């Protein structure tokens, strides 16, 4: 899951960033509001989940670790 998300972020948002699970995606301007929407679509399709509106919280997308926790919670 971690590698899948890292590859997606590298390929679609920032190919020169060295991602770790703690890379701050919002603070480093890797993701913006449109990027989060793209990422949500990717997550829902790739992991066969639906992210409910009440989970559209910035804290769920601040880094890869937070995203993994969200996916695991919803699976």
């Amino acid at each position: 899951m971690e590698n899948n998300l890292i590859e997606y972020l590298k390929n679609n948002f920032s190919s020169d960033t060295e991602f770790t699970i703690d890379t701050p995606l919002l603070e480093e301007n890797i993701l913006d509001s449109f990027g989060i929407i793209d990422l949500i679509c990717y997550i829902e399709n790739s992991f066969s989940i639906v992210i409910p509106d009440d989970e559209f919280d910035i804290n769920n997308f601040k880094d890869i670790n937070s995203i993994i926790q969200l996916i695991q919670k919803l699976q």
Side-chain angles (χ1 to χ4, degrees):
M1 186 180 313
E2 176 184 333
N3 290 337
N4 187 319
L5 290 168
I6 287 172
E7 283 303 311
Y8 177 77
L9 291 168
K10 275 185 169 183
N11 292 334
N12 293 283
F13 297 103
S14 183
S15 60
D16 24 332
T17 299
E18 278 300 317
F19 287 99
T20 68
I21 62 169
D22 298 317
T23 301
L25 303 174
L26 303 169
E27 290 175 22
E28 298 283 328
N29 294 320
I30 295 166
L31 289 179
D32 59 12
S33 57
F34 292 111
I36 291 174
I37 299 300
D38 287 343
L39 179 60
I40 287 170
C41 292
Y42 172 76
I43 291 169
E44 289 182 333
N45 290 326
S46 295
F47 298 99
S48 300
I49 61 173
V50 174
I51 300 174
D53 292 347
D54 63 341
E55 295 292 349
F56 288 11
D57 182 326
I58 289 284
N59 291 320
N60 287 330
F61 301 95
K62 66 182 178 185
D63 54 34
I64 293 172
N65 190 45
S66 299
I67 296 168
I68 289 171
Q69 289 176 4
L70 175 64
I71 293 169
Q72 290 173 337
K73 176 180 160 183
L74 297 173
Q75 285 182 322

